[in-house]
């Protein structure tokens, strides 16, 4: 029995028997439609150009639909041109105008073809949903073209007249651009980002702007995202890490032009402090050239070393402040023999490659110099003033979490900390132990507390400190490794001390029974559910496969980041879940032409699971909510009919 007050509130929206009945009919019809297509991406790492291409092309699925629609009727070259037009309409139109003589005739043919593609990608939506996505200035025209049968003799001339009238009015190019964008928007119903929007690549801020404008998106936080979130929450160690990563990968455009974080104070400090130091171990990775903020490589190396030493000091302080983290072995600066220039790690003494530490006092290695203290707080002020960063971090919080359960798929970036025997690891936070889902729920709340609690709230500092642990702690589900070996990579360079051992999860989860246990822990059906993971790149060139545990587990970090492509051999994966099947798109490295257009990049698409029967909206999470609404509306109808609630005329 529904609460009377609830039904009265519902009656405000549906004030009559007719309006309630009409909505029930509408919702029941929607339940019968095929589910929308979900797209899963992982580890974007700031590679905005490939990511934007994947969105525009629906990871190659638009080209696949073009091939199906026009099979044997137009050439492969024409299919490629039509696909490129849909992805980059403005740029491709300019290119085509320079190549053909009769542009108007080309427009007529192309508009017919675009309408056919648009019809195909809109089939699984209601007419009203499609109309909501249409450009306002062409909504009526597109609606008529989509739903009028141009083969019907009575409609053929009408259909043709619309096309000719668009051309006669000089609106052909604008119409083509608008319908191309509509095709893009209709091709992806919902978008799931399985972590790590940030770091390494040039412009994650551009990716974030695109995600904010997307109609249905969620983000499962990665360790690189949490580092930025920690920085925005006021964690100085996370802040230093964000800058270190940015300088290390030469992303000055992101830091200074994108987010307005002024690095001048760091450059002055680094140039003065390390003026005689070549900082060879700190030369940046130049994967992308900066367009706006060029920084000399030698200066960048000095800035890199300066912020790295500050970061190690800040991290050491957090480790000493929180012995419960169990990370004393990572308090690296206190383990150095500064007189000999050596360090002991796991009982082995290593000689340091770089022994120049002008800002470190051997008696108190974790103390910041006066200049370092002023510098880090100057940088913190710059972070706090960035309105765009604030907007992006708020979006990560409002549209994200450490995990998500949706349509019987469990999404998370890293892992569920586990033991070697395949059971969940217990992690102590405060006075309590947590494991499995309870652990992920608790640390999700800590992450929200770090950013949202008032500055003087009693739990604020504890939560803010923990953001750094989530970045690199050994039992962080976002990190999933024994240690972050940054110091070893900078100052030792030998393989053994630099090894970062993966959490047992990455071994035991290959067992189908373990995956089933994880799914059940999160309240999901283990018979049909899947775990979708990122974080660990799949090295195709070494024979690794993205599908594991008899189809229960998907690793979809395939290396969209340029930094990983030499190790993976590909340029990332997209997992695609439509009403008929689960598919993996395996992408080739992206190359732009002189006009900024990605050409000839159709991915290899592999079907990995065929559904026993077509999945309708009724069988999705949205469908369950629709069923609940139908039930409440049916109760409202009863209330109207028995007079419990009066109709409003």
């Amino acid at each position: 029995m529904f609460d009377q007050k609830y039904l009265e509130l519902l009656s405000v929206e549906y004030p009559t028997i007719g309006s309630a009945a009409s909505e029930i009919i509408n919702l029941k019809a929607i339940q019968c439609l095929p589910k929308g297509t979900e797209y899963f991406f992982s580890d974007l790492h700031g590679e905005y150009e490939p990511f934007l291409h994947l969105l525009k092309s629906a990871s190659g699925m638009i080209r696949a639909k073009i091939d199906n629609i026009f099979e044997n009727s137009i050439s492969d070259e024409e299919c490629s041109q039509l696909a490129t037009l849909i992805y980059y309409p403005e740029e491709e139109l300019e290119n085509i105008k320079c190549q053909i003589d009769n542009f108007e005739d080309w427009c007529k043919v192309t508009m017919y073809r675009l309408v056919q593609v648009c019809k195909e990608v809109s089939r699984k939506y209601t007419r009203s949903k499609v109309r909501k996505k249409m450009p306002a200035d062409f909504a009526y025209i597109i609606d008529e073209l989509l739903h009028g049968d141009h083969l019907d003799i009575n409609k053929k001339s009408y259909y043709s007249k619309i096309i000719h009238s668009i051309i006669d009015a000089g609106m052909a190019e604008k119409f083509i651009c608008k319908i191309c964008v509509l095709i893009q928007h209709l091709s992806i119903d919902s978008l799931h980002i399985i972590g790590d929007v940030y770091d390494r690549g040039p412009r994650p801020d551009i990716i974030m702007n695109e995600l904010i404008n997307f109609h249905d998106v969620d983000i499962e936080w990665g360790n690189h995202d949490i580092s930025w979130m920690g920085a925005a929450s006021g964690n100085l160690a996370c802040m230093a890490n964000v800058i270190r990563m940015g300088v290390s990968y030469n992303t000055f455009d992101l830091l200074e032009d994108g987010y307005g974080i002024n690095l001048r104070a760091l450059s002055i400090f680094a140039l003065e402090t390390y003026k005689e130091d070549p900082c060879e171990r700190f030369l940046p990775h130049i994967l992308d050239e900066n367009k706006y903020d060029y920084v000399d490589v030698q200066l960048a190396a000095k800035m890199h070393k300066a912020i790295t030493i500050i970061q190690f000091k800040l991290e050491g302080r957090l480790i000493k402040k929180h012995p419960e983290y169990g990370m004393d072995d990572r308090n690296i600066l206190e383990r150095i023999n500064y007189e000999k220039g050596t360090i002991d790690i796991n009982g082995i003494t290593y000689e340091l490659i770089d022994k120049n530490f002008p800002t470190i006092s051997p008696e108190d290695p974790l103390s910041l110099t006066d200049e370092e203290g002023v510098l880090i707080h100057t940088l913190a002020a710059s972070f706090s003033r960035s309105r765009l960063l604030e907007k992006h971090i708020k979006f990560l919080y409002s549209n994200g979490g450490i995990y998500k359960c949706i349509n019987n798929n469990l999404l998370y970036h890293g892992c569920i900390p586990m033991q070697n025997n395949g059971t969940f690891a217990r992690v102590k936070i405060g006075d309590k132990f947590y494991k499995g889902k309870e652990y992920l729920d608790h640390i999700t709340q800590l992450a929200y507390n770090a950013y949202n609690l008032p500055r003087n709230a009693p739990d604020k500092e504890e939560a803010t400190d923990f953001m750094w642990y989530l970045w690199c702690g050994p039992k962080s589900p976002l990190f999933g490794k024994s240690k972050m070996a940054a110091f070893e990579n900078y100052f030792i360079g030998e393989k053994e001390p630099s090894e970062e051992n993966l959490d047992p999860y990455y071994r035991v989860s290959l067992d189908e029974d373990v995956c089933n246990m994880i799914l059940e822990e999160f309240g999901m059906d283990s018979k049909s559910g899947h775990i979708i993971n990122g974080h660990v790149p799949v090295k195709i060139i070494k024979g690794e496969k993205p599908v594991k545990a008899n189809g229960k587990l998907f690793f979809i970090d395939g290396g969209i980041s340029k930094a990983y492509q030499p190790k993976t051999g590909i340029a990332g994966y997209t997992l695609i879940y439509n009403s008929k099947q689960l598919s993996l798109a395996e992408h080739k490295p992206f190359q732009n032409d002189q006009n900024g257009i990605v050409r000839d990049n159709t991915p290899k698409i592999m079907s990995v699971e065929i559904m026993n029967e077509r999945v309708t909206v009724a069988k999705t999470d949205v469908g369950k909510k629709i069923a609940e609404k139908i039930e409440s509306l049916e109760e409202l109808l009863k209330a109207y009919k028995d007079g419990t609630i009066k109709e409003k005329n």
Side-chain angles (χ1 to χ4, degrees):
M1 182 66 182
F2 282 77
D3 183 85
Q4 180 75 11
K5 289 184 178 179
Y6 170 74
L7 293 178
E8 287 174 352
L9 287 172
L10 191 62
S11 71
V12 174
E13 186 175 358
Y14 303 99
T16 65
I17 289 176
S19 62
S22 177
E23 183 64 2
I24 290 171
I25 294 167
N26 178 50
L27 293 175
K28 286 186 175 181
I30 290 172
Q31 285 183 311
C32 297
L33 289 172
K35 73 174 285 295
T37 305
E38 300 172 75
Y39 279 70
F40 303 80
F41 297 97
S42 174
D43 295 82
L44 302 177
H45 285 299
E47 298 288 356
Y48 73 100
E49 289 182 322
F51 177 65
L52 294 184
H53 178 74
L54 294 179
L55 285 188
K56 292 173 186 293
S57 65
S59 294
M61 293 305 290
I62 289 177
R63 173 58 196 267
K65 288 185 182 297
I66 290 171
D67 289 343
N68 288 335
I69 295 166
F70 301 107
E71 185 180 11
N72 301 324
S73 62
I74 66 175
S75 68
D76 184 69
E77 183 181 351
E78 288 176 300
C79 286
S80 294
Q81 186 186 75
L82 185 61
T84 302
L85 176 69
I86 291 171
Y87 311 156
Y88 303 96
E90 293 182 3
E91 297 86 345
E92 188 67 356
L93 277 171
E94 290 302 313
N95 181 52
I96 289 167
K97 282 194 291 185
C98 298
Q99 294 180 358
I100 62 175
D101 296 327
N102 196 327
F103 184 62
E104 283 193 2
D105 285 349
W106 178 88
C107 285
K108 292 174 188 175
V109 173
T110 299
M111 283 192 280
Y112 277 109
R113 291 173 178 173
L114 289 172
V115 169
Q116 293 305 107
V117 177
C118 196
K119 278 186 178 182
E120 180 61 28
V121 298
S122 66
R123 286 187 188 280
K124 60 178 64 176
Y125 303 118
T126 63
R127 189 166 178 173
S128 62
K129 185 171 183 176
V130 174
R131 280 190 65 89
K132 288 175 183 176
K133 294 178 182 287
M134 289 179 184
D137 45 353
F138 286 109
Y140 174 77
I141 294 172
I142 294 175
D143 189 57
E144 287 292 298
L145 291 173
L146 290 182
H147 297 96
D149 185 358
H150 70 285
L151 297 178
D152 185 326
I153 192 66
N154 296 313
K155 284 288 186 74
K156 190 173 182 179
S157 60
Y158 171 69
Y159 192 98
S160 178
K161 189 63 178 178
I162 292 175
I163 298 292
H164 283 81
S165 297
I166 293 171
I167 294 172
D168 292 342
M171 300 298 287
E173 290 182 53
K174 187 175 181 181
F175 176 84
I176 287 171
C177 289
K178 296 283 187 176
I179 197 169
C180 285
V181 173
L182 177 60
I183 291 168
Q184 293 176 23
H185 290 173
L186 289 170
S187 297
I188 302 177
D189 190 51
S190 58
L191 189 59
H192 310 289
I193 309 298
I194 320 293
D196 281 356
V197 173
Y198 281 90
D199 292 337
R200 295 196 177 92
R203 296 301 295 267
D205 56 319
I206 295 176
I207 293 176
M208 288 300 299
N209 285 335
E210 191 70 24
L211 295 178
I212 287 172
N213 292 325
F214 198 83
H215 54 273
D216 186 357
V217 62
D218 54 77
I219 303 169
E220 289 61 63
W221 305 327
N223 56 317
H224 288 271
D225 305 319
I226 213 76
S227 179
W228 279 85
M229 293 160 68
S233 299
N235 187 303
L236 295 180
C238 288
M239 208 173 296
N241 180 62
V242 160
I243 297 171
R244 178 183 68 86
M245 291 292 294
V247 175
S248 172
Y249 282 90
N250 194 45
T251 57
F252 290 96
D253 277 356
L254 164 69
L255 293 168
E256 297 197 297
D257 182 64
Y259 286 137
I261 296 168
N262 193 331
L263 299 181
R264 179 171 172 75
L266 174 59
S267 66
I268 293 172
F269 170 80
L271 198 58
E272 178 62 29
T273 305
Y274 298 96
K275 56 186 173 184
E276 303 299 331
D277 188 340
C279 300
E280 293 176 354
R281 300 290 296 176
F282 295 87
L283 292 169
H285 308 279
I286 311 294
L287 300 176
D288 299 277
E289 297 290 343
N290 290 297
K291 296 180 181 179
Y292 307 104
D293 291 284
Y294 172 78
V295 176
D296 177 77
V297 172
Q298 296 302 322
L299 173 57
K302 297 179 192 303
M303 295 168 70
H304 187 184
K305 184 173 182 179
I307 197 63
T308 299
I309 297 301
I310 291 172
Q311 179 179 339
F312 290 156
K313 290 182 177 183
L314 294 168
E315 290 179 338
R317 289 178 166 194
L318 281 175
I319 291 167
K320 294 191 78 170
K321 181 180 177 182
H322 294 281
E324 71 275 15
Y325 290 174
M327 296 179 66
D328 187 59
D329 62 323
R330 301 313 300 158
N331 191 352
I332 292 292
L333 297 186
E334 290 195 335
R335 305 173 74 87
I336 296 175
N337 184 322
Y338 291 92
E339 184 177 345
K340 295 181 179 179
T342 61
I343 187 170
D344 289 338
I345 297 178
N346 298 327
I348 302 174
T349 299
Y350 297 94
E351 184 172 357
L352 301 180
I353 298 171
D354 183 341
K355 303 174 184 177
N356 184 35
F357 301 106
T359 68
I360 295 180
S361 167
E363 295 76 25
D364 186 10
L366 303 183
S367 65
L368 295 171
T369 66
D370 291 343
E371 292 82 1
E372 286 175 323
V374 170
L375 172 59
I376 195 64
H377 285 95
T378 299
L379 292 169
S382 193
F383 270 85
S384 66
R385 289 193 295 264
S386 176
R387 299 282 75 85
L388 182 61
L389 178 59
E390 179 183 29
K391 179 182 179 182
H392 289 172
I393 297 300
K394 284 184 175 179
F395 184 79
L396 282 173
Y397 273 105
S398 62
N399 288 70
I402 287 180
Y403 72 92
K404 187 177 183 67
C405 301
I406 184 165
N407 296 333
N408 215 31
N409 291 314
L410 175 58
L411 324 179
Y412 48 77
H413 175 71
C415 68
I416 313 292
M418 302 195 79
Q419 301 183 91
N420 286 318
N421 63 3
T423 60
F424 295 120
R426 297 167 74 240
V427 184
K428 189 176 183 181
I429 302 178
D431 298 326
K432 185 177 178 182
F433 284 93
Y434 299 86
K435 64 179 181 177
K437 180 178 182 296
E438 185 185 27
Y439 176 46
L440 267 61
D441 288 336
H442 183 69
I443 61 179
T444 298
Q445 186 59 59
L446 286 178
Y448 277 94
N449 289 349
Y451 189 71
N452 293 314
L453 284 179
R455 182 173 299 177
N456 297 322
D459 297 330
K460 173 81 169 180
E461 184 176 331
E462 190 83 10
T464 303
D465 288 352
F466 196 75
M467 296 295 278
W468 173 78
Y469 183 88
L470 288 175
W471 153 248
C472 63
K475 292 300 178 184
S476 165
L478 306 181
F479 181 54
K481 298 179 184 178
S482 58
K483 66 179 180 181
M484 177 74 73
F487 179 89
E488 289 85 344
N489 289 322
Y490 287 125
F491 290 98
I492 299 176
E494 294 185 30
K495 182 178 180 180
E496 186 176 346
S498 301
E499 287 182 354
E500 299 174 343
N501 297 317
L502 292 172
D503 187 273
Y505 165 86
Y506 291 97
R507 177 179 56 81
V508 300
S509 66
L510 303 182
D511 185 326
E512 184 179 355
D513 290 338
V514 172
C515 288
N516 290 338
M517 183 266 291
I518 294 172
L519 289 165
E520 289 167 5
E521 169 77 3
F522 286 82
M524 309 190 77
D525 181 4
S526 60
K527 292 182 180 179
S528 58
H530 308 89
I531 298 170
I532 303 174
N533 240 149
H535 191 47
V536 178
V538 179
K539 299 169 184 173
I540 292 294
I541 56 177
K542 291 189 176 182
E544 295 179 2
K545 303 294 183 183
V547 184
K548 304 177 186 296
N550 198 26
K552 289 288 181 182
L553 177 63
F554 294 87
F555 278 96
I556 61 169
D557 178 6
I560 192 174
S561 170
K562 297 184 187 76
Y564 289 127
Q565 288 174 15
K567 299 177 183 178
T568 63
I570 58 171
Y573 288 110
T574 306
L575 181 64
I576 305 166
Y577 178 26
N578 61 28
S579 61
K580 296 179 180 179
Q581 62 186 348
L582 272 166
S583 303
L584 269 172
E586 182 181 293
H587 301 288
K588 297 177 286 187
F590 296 84
Q591 295 291 333
N592 295 348
D593 66 12
Q594 66 273 16
N595 298 314
I597 296 175
V598 177
R599 297 184 185 275
D600 300 322
N601 198 264
T602 302
K604 177 183 176 183
I605 298 176
M606 304 162 283
S607 177
V608 292
E609 183 176 332
I610 305 295
M611 301 299 115
N612 291 328
E613 57 183 27
R614 195 165 196 185
V615 182
T616 61
V617 171
K619 296 178 181 178
T620 66
D621 292 348
V622 169
K624 293 173 185 176
K625 292 179 181 178
I626 290 175
E628 291 172 0
K629 188 171 183 181
I630 290 172
E631 187 180 1
S632 64
L633 285 167
E634 287 174 340
E635 285 294 320
L636 179 61
L637 273 181
K638 290 179 184 178
Y640 280 142
K641 290 175 180 178
D642 64 22
T644 307
I645 294 177
K646 304 297 183 184
E647 289 187 85
K648 301 170 184 64
N649 297 321

